[in-house]
Amino acid sequence: MAEKGAEGAAEPSLTAAEKQLLRRRQELDYWKRNAARLRSRNRLTGLAIGAFVVGMFSYTILSVRQERIMEEMDDEARIHIIRGPRTGANS
């Protein structure tokens, strides 16, 4: 039985095990040829997900900080409303 190197067409005389082995070799060759491209895509996807997570976290922290500041401003406004306006008579 002669091997078919790079042709990819299997002879009809190959057994099922030999066909499976040939398919696995072709698949392995495909992954070896495209490994660098897949790695770069995986890195890009990882960076994009990481940037999204960091952005979401930063946005959340910033909005909580602003909420605290707004609460402090609301507390100050309540105090001023309770005291009333400052005029020459009540200062």
Side-chain angles (χ1 to χ4, degrees):
M1 173 165 51
E3 279 209 33
K4 290 274 189 185
E7 283 186 10
E11 290 182 2
S13 64
L14 294 177
T15 64
E18 290 171 337
K19 289 178 183 179
Q20 186 178 14
L21 180 63
L22 182 61
R23 268 186 260 127
R24 285 187 180 174
R25 283 185 183 161
Q26 289 171 347
E27 199 173 297
L28 181 62
D29 289 340
Y30 170 80
W31 287 110
K32 282 182 181 178
R33 283 192 311 268
N34 296 314
R37 184 172 40 165
L38 289 171
R39 257 187 245 112
S40 65
R41 284 183 184 172
N42 287 344
R43 284 187 187 129
L44 183 62
T45 302
L47 287 173
I49 291 171
F52 175 77
V53 168
V54 168
M56 186 64 71
F57 178 75
S58 300
Y59 173 77
T60 303
I61 295 300
L62 180 63
S63 65
V64 167
R65 251 191 226 150
Q66 286 179 349
E67 192 173 301
R68 284 187 197 151
I69 291 170
M70 291 304 291
E71 285 175 5
E72 290 173 7
M73 289 175 62
D74 288 343
D75 290 341
E76 289 176 14
R78 270 191 224 111
I79 291 169
H80 288 297
I81 290 171
I82 292 170
R83 285 187 186 166
R86 292 192 143 237
T87 60
N90 65 1
S91 55

